[in-house]
Amino acid sequence: MQQALLDHLRKITEEERRILDGVGEVDKDLYTSGKDFTVDSGKMLEEGKLIAVRTHTRFVHFPVHRHNFIEVLYVCEGHLTNIIDGKQVVVRKGELLFLNQFTRHEILPAGENDIAINFMVLPEFFDVAYSMAGSNNVLADFLVNVLRQDEERGEYLHFKVSEVLQIQNLLENIIYSLVTGQGDQSRIHQTTMGLIFLYLLDSVQYVEMRVPNQYENMITMTTLDYIEQQYRTATLTELCEKLHLPMHMLSKMIKKSTGFNFKELLQRKRLNKAAELICDTDLPINDIIAAVGYENNSYFHRVFKGHYHMTPRAFRVRNTEKVQVRL
C-alpha cells in the first residue's frame, strides 16, 4: 500500500483520541440507536449508498456486537483478532474477513500500528460481482448465498490472500477512492469489488470458513474447486480417492450442499466453458467439444441443445449478431 495512504489511515480519529484521553470504552451511540448493540447501516452509510468505509477503532476492546449489513474487514498493517462464536480468528496484513449479516463477534484491542479497514456493505452491492461471476458458477452461488444469509449463525469467510497482488492492488484502489470521496463512483466501486470477487473465486484454496456444518462445507468447497480446475478430466471416482470418502457419502454431501449431483455440476461447468469458447473464439465446434472434456460429439450437441435450446452453431451466430448490435 502506498505510504501516503497508509499514513492517512494511521491518523488518530476523534473517537480514538477520546479513548486515549481516558474514556475507556466504545461510544455505542456512534453505531446504533437501539439497546441491542447492532451496528446500524442507517448510521454508517449515507442515504442511497450501498458501501462505506472506515478505519477500525484502535486502543479499545470492541464488545460483542452484530451488524445489519455485510462487513468486510481488510488489514493494511499489523493484525486484528476477532472472536466469533467463541473462536479466535486472527486477520493479518493483506487478509480479508467477510462477516455475514447479524454475525455476532467482538474484537480485541488493536495497537497503533494495527491498521484495518471496515467495508460496510449492503447485500445488493454484490449484485454486480455476482453477475460478473456468471450465472453458471456454482462456487459463486455458494459464496454469495453465505453472504446473503440474514440469520444469526456466526458465518464468515476468511481469505488469506496477502500474496495475491491483484487483490491487494484492487483493494488499495477502492480504499483510496472511498477515503478521498472523489465524486459518485458507486458503479466503479461495485465493478472493482466484482473483480476482487473473481480473484477470490480463483483463491478458494486460501479460504477458511465457518458456516453451519463446517466439515460438509469444506467438502463442498473442495468439490467445486476441483471441478473448476479439472473439469476436462474430473471424475467422481478420482475425487472420492482424493478426499478418502466412499462414493455414496460424497454424493449425498454434494447434493445436500449444492442442490446438484456431481454429474450435473460437472456438466454445468463444461457447458459454461463451451459457451464461453463459442462466443469468444473462432475455434471449430468439434475442437471446443474436445477442449471442455467431451468425447462424444453427438452427446454434447444433445446436452447443449437441451440446456440452451439451440445448437452450438446457432448459439455462435446469435451471439455474433448481438455483438454487432451493441457496436
Side-chain angles (χ1 to χ4, degrees), residues 234-250:
T235 67
L236 182 57
T237 301
E238 181 181 56
L239 183 59
C240 288
E241 291 173 356
K242 287 178 179 289
L243 296 174
H244 306 290
L245 286 171
M247 189 173 293
H248 72 276
M249 183 181 293
L250 180 56

PDB file of all heavy atoms in Angstrom, residues 234-250:
ATOM      1  N   ALA A 234     -12.233 -34.366 -14.840  1.00  0.00           N
ATOM      2  CA  ALA A 234     -12.749 -34.659 -13.500  1.00  0.00           C
ATOM      3  C   ALA A 234     -13.670 -35.875 -13.493  1.00  0.00           C
ATOM      4  O   ALA A 234     -14.498 -36.042 -14.396  1.00  0.00           O
ATOM      5  CB  ALA A 234     -13.505 -33.440 -12.966  1.00  0.00           C
ATOM      6  N   THR A 235     -13.532 -36.705 -12.455  1.00  0.00           N
ATOM      7  CA  THR A 235     -14.448 -37.836 -12.250  1.00  0.00           C
ATOM      8  C   THR A 235     -14.770 -37.932 -10.768  1.00  0.00           C
ATOM      9  O   THR A 235     -13.960 -37.551  -9.911  1.00  0.00           O
ATOM     10  CB  THR A 235     -13.824 -39.169 -12.704  1.00  0.00           C
ATOM     11  OG1 THR A 235     -12.719 -39.484 -11.847  1.00  0.00           O
ATOM     12  CG2 THR A 235     -13.366 -39.110 -14.158  1.00  0.00           C
ATOM     13  N   LEU A 236     -15.944 -38.434 -10.474  1.00  0.00           N
ATOM     14  CA  LEU A 236     -16.337 -38.615  -9.082  1.00  0.00           C
ATOM     15  C   LEU A 236     -15.427 -39.633  -8.404  1.00  0.00           C
ATOM     16  O   LEU A 236     -15.088 -39.487  -7.220  1.00  0.00           O
ATOM     17  CB  LEU A 236     -17.799 -39.062  -9.012  1.00  0.00           C
ATOM     18  CG  LEU A 236     -18.383 -39.251  -7.611  1.00  0.00           C
ATOM     19  CD1 LEU A 236     -18.266 -37.974  -6.792  1.00  0.00           C
ATOM     20  CD2 LEU A 236     -19.842 -39.705  -7.703  1.00  0.00           C
ATOM     21  N   THR A 237     -15.008 -40.653  -9.136  1.00  0.00           N
ATOM     22  CA  THR A 237     -14.114 -41.675  -8.570  1.00  0.00           C
ATOM     23  C   THR A 237     -12.803 -41.065  -8.105  1.00  0.00           C
ATOM     24  O   THR A 237     -12.323 -41.337  -6.995  1.00  0.00           O
ATOM     25  CB  THR A 237     -13.832 -42.768  -9.623  1.00  0.00           C
ATOM     26  OG1 THR A 237     -15.068 -43.370 -10.021  1.00  0.00           O
ATOM     27  CG2 THR A 237     -12.906 -43.831  -9.068  1.00  0.00           C
ATOM     28  N   GLU A 238     -12.200 -40.206  -8.950  1.00  0.00           N
ATOM     29  CA  GLU A 238     -10.937 -39.570  -8.584  1.00  0.00           C
ATOM     30  C   GLU A 238     -11.117 -38.671  -7.362  1.00  0.00           C
ATOM     31  O   GLU A 238     -10.271 -38.649  -6.458  1.00  0.00           O
ATOM     32  CB  GLU A 238     -10.396 -38.749  -9.752  1.00  0.00           C
ATOM     33  CG  GLU A 238      -9.054 -38.087  -9.441  1.00  0.00           C
ATOM     34  CD  GLU A 238      -8.536 -37.244 -10.591  1.00  0.00           C
ATOM     35  OE1 GLU A 238      -9.265 -36.326 -11.041  1.00  0.00           O
ATOM     36  OE2 GLU A 238      -7.401 -37.494 -11.020  1.00  0.00           O
ATOM     37  N   LEU A 239     -12.236 -37.922  -7.325  1.00  0.00           N
ATOM     38  CA  LEU A 239     -12.483 -37.029  -6.203  1.00  0.00           C
ATOM     39  C   LEU A 239     -12.648 -37.819  -4.902  1.00  0.00           C
ATOM     40  O   LEU A 239     -12.144 -37.415  -3.846  1.00  0.00           O
ATOM     41  CB  LEU A 239     -13.722 -36.167  -6.465  1.00  0.00           C
ATOM     42  CG  LEU A 239     -14.062 -35.129  -5.401  1.00  0.00           C
ATOM     43  CD1 LEU A 239     -12.910 -34.149  -5.198  1.00  0.00           C
ATOM     44  CD2 LEU A 239     -15.339 -34.379  -5.767  1.00  0.00           C
ATOM     45  N   CYS A 240     -13.347 -38.938  -4.968  1.00  0.00           N
ATOM     46  CA  CYS A 240     -13.502 -39.797  -3.786  1.00  0.00           C
ATOM     47  C   CYS A 240     -12.148 -40.262  -3.265  1.00  0.00           C
ATOM     48  O   CYS A 240     -11.912 -40.302  -2.045  1.00  0.00           O
ATOM     49  CB  CYS A 240     -14.370 -41.010  -4.122  1.00  0.00           C
ATOM     50  SG  CYS A 240     -16.118 -40.632  -4.356  1.00  0.00           S
ATOM     51  N   GLU A 241     -11.255 -40.598  -4.181  1.00  0.00           N
ATOM     52  CA  GLU A 241      -9.918 -41.041  -3.776  1.00  0.00           C
ATOM     53  C   GLU A 241      -9.146 -39.901  -3.116  1.00  0.00           C
ATOM     54  O   GLU A 241      -8.448 -40.098  -2.117  1.00  0.00           O
ATOM     55  CB  GLU A 241      -9.154 -41.560  -4.993  1.00  0.00           C
ATOM     56  CG  GLU A 241      -9.715 -42.872  -5.540  1.00  0.00           C
ATOM     57  CD  GLU A 241      -9.064 -43.296  -6.847  1.00  0.00           C
ATOM     58  OE1 GLU A 241      -8.220 -42.519  -7.365  1.00  0.00           O
ATOM     59  OE2 GLU A 241      -9.398 -44.383  -7.348  1.00  0.00           O
ATOM     60  N   LYS A 242      -9.283 -38.693  -3.663  1.00  0.00           N
ATOM     61  CA  LYS A 242      -8.595 -37.533  -3.093  1.00  0.00           C
ATOM     62  C   LYS A 242      -9.087 -37.226  -1.681  1.00  0.00           C
ATOM     63  O   LYS A 242      -8.303 -36.855  -0.800  1.00  0.00           O
ATOM     64  CB  LYS A 242      -8.802 -36.302  -3.984  1.00  0.00           C
ATOM     65  CG  LYS A 242      -8.027 -36.302  -5.297  1.00  0.00           C
ATOM     66  CD  LYS A 242      -8.357 -35.060  -6.102  1.00  0.00           C
ATOM     67  CE  LYS A 242      -7.570 -35.017  -7.405  1.00  0.00           C
ATOM     68  NZ  LYS A 242      -6.131 -34.758  -7.186  1.00  0.00           N
ATOM     69  N   LEU A 243     -10.395 -37.359  -1.478  1.00  0.00           N
ATOM     70  CA  LEU A 243     -10.994 -36.993  -0.195  1.00  0.00           C
ATOM     71  C   LEU A 243     -11.103 -38.174   0.765  1.00  0.00           C
ATOM     72  O   LEU A 243     -11.538 -38.006   1.906  1.00  0.00           O
ATOM     73  CB  LEU A 243     -12.393 -36.396  -0.434  1.00  0.00           C
ATOM     74  CG  LEU A 243     -12.423 -35.082  -1.212  1.00  0.00           C
ATOM     75  CD1 LEU A 243     -13.855 -34.663  -1.511  1.00  0.00           C
ATOM     76  CD2 LEU A 243     -11.709 -33.985  -0.427  1.00  0.00           C
ATOM     77  N   HIS A 244     -10.766 -39.367   0.284  1.00  0.00           N
ATOM     78  CA  HIS A 244     -10.834 -40.584   1.102  1.00  0.00           C
ATOM     79  C   HIS A 244     -12.249 -40.795   1.650  1.00  0.00           C
ATOM     80  O   HIS A 244     -12.454 -41.067   2.841  1.00  0.00           O
ATOM     81  CB  HIS A 244      -9.818 -40.527   2.256  1.00  0.00           C
ATOM     82  CG  HIS A 244      -8.415 -40.263   1.812  1.00  0.00           C
ATOM     83  ND1 HIS A 244      -7.669 -41.194   1.123  1.00  0.00           N
ATOM     84  CD2 HIS A 244      -7.635 -39.158   1.918  1.00  0.00           C
ATOM     85  CE1 HIS A 244      -6.479 -40.686   0.853  1.00  0.00           C
ATOM     86  NE2 HIS A 244      -6.442 -39.453   1.322  1.00  0.00           N
ATOM     87  N   LEU A 245     -13.225 -40.638   0.771  1.00  0.00           N
ATOM     88  CA  LEU A 245     -14.621 -40.816   1.139  1.00  0.00           C
ATOM     89  C   LEU A 245     -15.281 -41.824   0.209  1.00  0.00           C
ATOM     90  O   LEU A 245     -14.978 -41.854  -0.995  1.00  0.00           O
ATOM     91  CB  LEU A 245     -15.386 -39.484   1.034  1.00  0.00           C
ATOM     92  CG  LEU A 245     -15.125 -38.442   2.126  1.00  0.00           C
ATOM     93  CD1 LEU A 245     -15.794 -37.128   1.750  1.00  0.00           C
ATOM     94  CD2 LEU A 245     -15.635 -38.925   3.468  1.00  0.00           C
ATOM     95  N   PRO A 246     -16.191 -42.648   0.733  1.00  0.00           N
ATOM     96  CA  PRO A 246     -16.937 -43.550  -0.155  1.00  0.00           C
ATOM     97  C   PRO A 246     -17.858 -42.749  -1.071  1.00  0.00           C
ATOM     98  O   PRO A 246     -18.349 -41.664  -0.704  1.00  0.00           O
ATOM     99  CB  PRO A 246     -17.736 -44.422   0.817  1.00  0.00           C
ATOM    100  CG  PRO A 246     -17.798 -43.656   2.090  1.00  0.00           C
ATOM    101  CD  PRO A 246     -16.560 -42.830   2.147  1.00  0.00           C
ATOM    102  N   MET A 247     -18.117 -43.300  -2.248  1.00  0.00           N
ATOM    103  CA  MET A 247     -18.858 -42.555  -3.265  1.00  0.00           C
ATOM    104  C   MET A 247     -20.255 -42.174  -2.805  1.00  0.00           C
ATOM    105  O   MET A 247     -20.721 -41.060  -3.040  1.00  0.00           O
ATOM    106  CB  MET A 247     -18.923 -43.382  -4.562  1.00  0.00           C
ATOM    107  CG  MET A 247     -19.474 -42.613  -5.745  1.00  0.00           C
ATOM    108  SD  MET A 247     -19.347 -43.526  -7.300  1.00  0.00           S
ATOM    109  CE  MET A 247     -17.571 -43.587  -7.522  1.00  0.00           C
ATOM    110  N   HIS A 248     -20.952 -43.078  -2.129  1.00  0.00           N
ATOM    111  CA  HIS A 248     -22.331 -42.784  -1.740  1.00  0.00           C
ATOM    112  C   HIS A 248     -22.380 -41.632  -0.731  1.00  0.00           C
ATOM    113  O   HIS A 248     -23.289 -40.796  -0.760  1.00  0.00           O
ATOM    114  CB  HIS A 248     -23.007 -44.032  -1.163  1.00  0.00           C
ATOM    115  CG  HIS A 248     -22.520 -44.438   0.190  1.00  0.00           C
ATOM    116  ND1 HIS A 248     -21.382 -45.208   0.366  1.00  0.00           N
ATOM    117  CD2 HIS A 248     -22.990 -44.170   1.442  1.00  0.00           C
ATOM    118  CE1 HIS A 248     -21.184 -45.411   1.655  1.00  0.00           C
ATOM    119  NE2 HIS A 248     -22.141 -44.784   2.344  1.00  0.00           N
ATOM    120  N   MET A 249     -21.361 -41.565   0.158  1.00  0.00           N
ATOM    121  CA  MET A 249     -21.337 -40.495   1.163  1.00  0.00           C
ATOM    122  C   MET A 249     -21.032 -39.148   0.519  1.00  0.00           C
ATOM    123  O   MET A 249     -21.688 -38.137   0.797  1.00  0.00           O
ATOM    124  CB  MET A 249     -20.294 -40.811   2.231  1.00  0.00           C
ATOM    125  CG  MET A 249     -20.255 -39.770   3.366  1.00  0.00           C
ATOM    126  SD  MET A 249     -18.986 -40.143   4.602  1.00  0.00           S
ATOM    127  CE  MET A 249     -19.657 -41.661   5.301  1.00  0.00           C
ATOM    128  N   LEU A 250     -20.035 -39.124  -0.368  1.00  0.00           N
ATOM    129  CA  LEU A 250     -19.671 -37.880  -1.031  1.00  0.00           C
ATOM    130  C   LEU A 250     -20.822 -37.388  -1.913  1.00  0.00           C
ATOM    131  O   LEU A 250     -21.144 -36.186  -1.912  1.00  0.00           O
ATOM    132  CB  LEU A 250     -18.410 -38.069  -1.871  1.00  0.00           C
ATOM    133  CG  LEU A 250     -17.908 -36.831  -2.623  1.00  0.00           C
ATOM    134  CD1 LEU A 250     -17.660 -35.672  -1.670  1.00  0.00           C
ATOM    135  CD2 LEU A 250     -16.647 -37.155  -3.413  1.00  0.00           C
TER     136      LEU A 250
END
